[in-house]
Amino acid sequence: MRQPTNSESHTTLQPLNPLPEIIRREIRAAGAISFARFMALALYCPQLGYYERKPDTVGRRGDYYTSVSVGPLFGELLAFQFAEWLEAEVRSQKSEVRIIEAGAHDGKLAADILDWLQKNRQPLYARLEYSILEPSPQRQQWQRENLARFAPRVRWLSGLSENQETFSGVLFSNELLDAFPVQRLGWDARAKQWFEWGVAVEGERFVWTRLPVSAPSSIFHPPSSPDLLEVLPDGYTIEICPAAAAWWREAAAAMRSGKLVAIDYGLTAAELFLPERPGGTLRAYHQHQISDDLLANAGEQDLTAHVNFSSIQQAGEAAGLQTEGLFAQPKFLTDIAARVWKNPAAFGEWTPARTRQFQTLTHPQHLGRAFRVLVQSRPA
Ligand SMILES: C[S@@+](CC[C@H](N)C(=O)[O-])C[C@H]1O[C@@H](n2cnc3c(N)ncnc32)[C@H](O)[C@@H]1O
């Protein structure tokens, strides 16, 4: 669950975004589009999508905050953990040591990690290649500016298939998988079958419409228990995210050895598909508020759904990875912190500011609630 920011900060008037009109034209020309297509345009249309326009949508000045905006501690604890995982590679002296971050957004988390490694793990830092996986040239540009001081250590990749990239090391993301476009499926109680929610236009407004399911049956795994289907109300809605599972599969296939880590808010399939959650988990974040109006403000609001960790875990295991665990974020961070507290000299002073950040990251009413960490690995 993303945390909306407080609403005091800014209400400046923005110039009108032409994106809704571009989407309307596509629908008028070709007919109703899937919600996944609508979400892809709303978030990633070059120059106009939500993630293409504003360098500061995350953080205190943006629409919501993440573990990264709480302060540097999140990155520092991850850096401590990554250094432990990469210890053998640092000792072996064979080649460079690799960390790959996907969904690096403005580069703040990368800066927190690199800063800590530079100060506390010089031998690793000196041989580190920190790659940022970033398909958007616009976002790469913002990241290059923000990470200029680490220039010799950082490089950018547009995708893992670029140069048939394979790697050994750590590939991780924080709140990446929740930002992939999802398909919204609805249950037709009379016909006893699933349909896909699509988007049509009425006048100038976007409206919901029912379309046939477009997902290939191999990845279409909504609840199929006859008992459950018997009680689902008409229009009961879930999301599936083939794009996230496909991304994970590609990352797993590219990994020769090491760890693949996703930090995100999400649930297992059994926790997601419950009769008492009839509307799915998709939410919009706009001007510091959570909104259920998913079709409003295209390009101006974030759209995000809970990650189905069961489908991600299965995708990794099908690619030969071992699952080390699906941890609640408080447990994952507390286990790292426990090793830090045992050996404070290996981390740096645990200041009152770090204590406050730790509490926010792990407290059930803050970021500790719905966040989980999936760790999968391939041994060397
Ligand atoms: C919610 S933001 C990430 C927040 C950031 N990691 C943090 O912790 O503050 C999601 C980011 O994922 C990026 N993204 C979307 N699809 C991607 C892909 N296929 N590869 C890498 N990044 C992607 C978006 O541009 C956006 O910057």
Side-chain angles (χ1 to χ4, degrees):
M1 181 69 53
R2 281 185 191 159
Q3 305 289 314
T5 43
N6 295 327
S7 54
E8 308 133 21
S9 41
H10 58 125
T11 48
T12 41
L13 281 176
Q14 304 286 332
L16 203 61
N17 188 334
L19 184 57
E21 185 50 29
I22 291 173
I23 302 176
R24 278 194 289 271
R25 260 189 261 139
E26 179 168 323
I27 295 174
R28 284 182 191 126
I33 56 176
S34 68
F35 177 76
R37 172 70 181 157
F38 178 90
M39 185 167 168
L41 288 168
L43 297 186
Y44 302 113
C45 179
Q47 286 156 31
L48 301 173
Y50 182 79
Y51 281 116
E52 284 284 313
R53 281 187 329 107
K54 300 182 195 164
D56 59 356
T57 46
V58 179
R60 298 208 181 283
R61 286 157 56 216
D63 291 322
Y64 61 92
Y65 67 90
T66 69
S67 299
V68 179
S69 21
V70 169
L73 183 70
F74 182 66
E76 292 166 349
L77 290 174
L78 289 182
F80 181 90
Q81 175 64 83
F82 296 167
E84 280 185 351
W85 283 338
L86 293 167
E87 218 164 74
E89 301 207 18
V90 178
R91 264 188 276 111
S92 85
Q93 298 280 334
K94 267 190 250 147
S95 59
E96 82 281 318
V97 181
R98 290 198 71 181
I99 297 175
I100 306 180
E101 180 183 357
H105 201 67
D106 55 6
K108 163 107 180 54
L109 179 55
D112 294 339
I113 292 172
L114 286 161
D115 227 359
W116 189 89
L117 291 174
Q118 190 176 29
K119 285 188 191 123
N120 297 282
R121 295 291 183 278
Q122 246 315 307
L124 191 165
Y125 185 80
R127 290 180 43 220
L128 179 64
E129 183 179 295
Y130 194 101
S131 303
I132 294 190
L133 204 52
E134 177 55 72
S136 158
Q138 172 63 80
R139 210 147 263 295
Q140 278 195 15
Q141 181 53 35
W142 287 325
Q143 291 162 357
R144 274 179 215 282
E145 287 161 17
N146 291 346
L147 294 169
R149 66 188 188 281
F150 305 107
R153 303 265 64 87
V154 189
R155 76 164 175 137
W156 276 262
L157 301 169
S158 302
L160 280 171
S161 44
E162 184 181 311
N163 312 326
Q164 257 97 56
E165 192 81 20
T166 62
F167 70 95
S168 292
V170 176
L171 194 168
F172 81 102
S173 64
N174 182 53
E175 294 207 37
L176 165 70
L177 301 177
D178 67 60
F180 278 104
V182 294
Q183 288 175 243
R184 289 190 95 205
L185 304 182
W187 177 245
D188 183 331
R190 190 149 7 121
K192 299 251 176 288
Q193 64 182 23
W194 293 94
F195 63 88
E196 183 159 346
W197 284 113
V199 182
V201 174
E202 262 176 26
E204 296 292 286
R205 280 177 51 237
F206 293 113
V207 292
W208 294 104
T209 187
R210 295 183 178 202
L211 300 174
V213 175
S214 61
S217 55
S218 56
I219 44 94
F220 176 50
H221 292 301
S224 54
S225 137
D227 293 349
L228 183 56
L229 294 179
E230 218 35 67
V231 296
L232 288 186
D234 188 60
Y236 175 90
T237 294
I238 58 170
E239 300 91 22
I240 58 168
C241 194
W247 185 88
W248 193 263
R249 212 172 297 119
E250 188 186 20
M255 194 172 77
R256 292 193 304 279
S257 65
K259 311 269 187 196
L260 190 53
V261 181
I263 307 165
D264 227 308
Y265 54 92
L267 299 166
T268 61
E271 293 164 334
L272 271 171
F273 302 137
L274 297 174
E276 54 270 32
R277 187 184 289 114
T281 65
L282 249 172
R283 299 287 177 271
Y285 287 78
H286 182 53
Q287 294 182 347
H288 330 284
Q289 306 286 336
I290 300 181
S291 158
D292 290 329
D293 195 349
L294 306 173
L295 303 182
N297 309 305
E300 305 287 328
Q301 64 181 14
D302 191 19
L303 294 168
T304 174
H306 281 48
V307 172
N308 178 339
F309 274 111
S310 304
S311 93
I312 301 298
Q313 185 174 331
Q314 279 163 17
E317 288 171 1
L321 299 189
Q322 294 168 7
T323 300
E324 298 199 356
L326 174 61
F327 308 97
Q329 174 160 301
K331 158 110 181 96
F332 184 75
L333 294 180
T334 304
D335 284 355
I336 303 172
R339 298 198 296 283
V340 165
W341 296 329
K342 260 196 216 147
N343 185 8
F347 185 77
E349 192 192 349
W350 193 268
T351 57
R354 280 179 163 151
T355 298
R356 279 194 301 277
Q357 290 171 40
F358 187 73
Q359 284 164 348
T360 307
L361 291 169
T362 53
H363 195 285
Q365 282 178 349
H366 295 285
L367 289 148
R369 187 153 46 114
F371 277 83
R372 301 217 174 149
V373 185
L374 175 65
V375 183
Q376 294 192 312
S377 63
R378 196 187 303 283

